[in-house]
Amino acid sequence: MILGTIKDSSRYYSLGGGVELALKYLAEHENELENLPAGKYEIDGDKVNFSVSEFEAAKPEEKFFETHDEHIDIHVTVKGTEWYGYAPAEKMTSEKDHSVEKDNRHFYDKCEDGLFFKAMPGHFLIFMPEDAHKAAFTMQEQGYVK
């Protein structure tokens, strides 16, 4: 897992062409992201794309950890305060479902070996396939997040 700021994102281009394309897009469009409506957007077809979501942050126990076998997942909090959970995927045991088509594995562990932190606008997180992660929740008052 990597936590960084969009303004310093060029440091992570060496992770690969898709990561570089995604981070360049974020840096070049950072001021426009807040105005994008919810939906899926393509940067390089199905190879590099992103989704914009808007939601009320949930309680941590209402969310699950997930991993992706085939892709790297980059998260950006554009508006509001979002909390994240991280744990090594090898420590996860209670897989509830797996979708090969969507490249998602969901885990409902509480995960004693994990850590929890908040991300503010202007930060991004990169989760590799071995990084189980939980998003879209809050440890404080619930509120709007984009």
Side-chain angles (χ1 to χ4, degrees):
M1 183 203 80
I2 296 170
L3 170 63
T5 60
I6 293 173
K7 70 179 184 69
D8 294 324
S9 61
S10 63
R11 295 176 187 200
Y12 304 99
Y13 291 175
S14 62
L15 290 173
V19 173
E20 181 177 352
L21 277 174
L23 292 176
K24 279 183 178 178
Y25 185 92
L26 289 173
E28 292 169 5
H29 297 90
E30 181 178 11
N31 295 328
E32 303 161 26
L33 297 174
E34 189 174 325
N35 298 321
L36 287 176
K40 186 173 179 177
Y41 298 85
E42 293 182 353
I43 297 172
D44 184 18
D46 280 342
K47 292 181 356 183
V48 181
N49 58 66
F50 67 98
S51 297
V52 174
S53 302
E54 299 177 85
F55 52 87
E56 288 291 319
K59 296 175 183 173
E61 60 272 12
E62 296 171 346
K63 303 306 286 185
F64 51 82
F65 282 91
E66 69 177 358
T67 61
H68 310 287
D69 295 336
E70 301 298 325
H71 74 269
I72 294 170
D73 204 1
I74 300 174
H75 287 249
V76 177
T77 302
V78 176
K79 191 172 187 179
T81 302
E82 184 174 10
W83 282 73
Y84 287 88
Y86 160 81
E90 65 187 27
K91 300 287 186 175
M92 306 307 280
T93 58
S94 63
E95 184 173 331
K96 294 293 184 188
D97 50 36
H98 175 212
S99 170
V100 174
E101 299 82 33
K102 294 182 180 180
D103 189 28
N104 281 334
R105 290 182 189 274
H106 294 161
F107 300 90
Y108 294 84
D109 300 72
K110 293 191 192 284
C111 198
E112 306 276 327
D113 295 324
L115 60 98
F116 297 90
F117 54 93
K118 67 180 174 178
M120 304 298 286
H123 288 96
F124 68 88
L125 295 106
I126 299 175
F127 296 105
M128 305 306 268
E130 64 272 13
D131 298 331
H133 53 284
K134 178 192 285 203
F137 69 94
T138 182
M139 299 286 221
Q140 301 166 334
E141 288 186 33
Q142 291 178 292
Y144 170 82
V145 177
K146 185 169 189 176

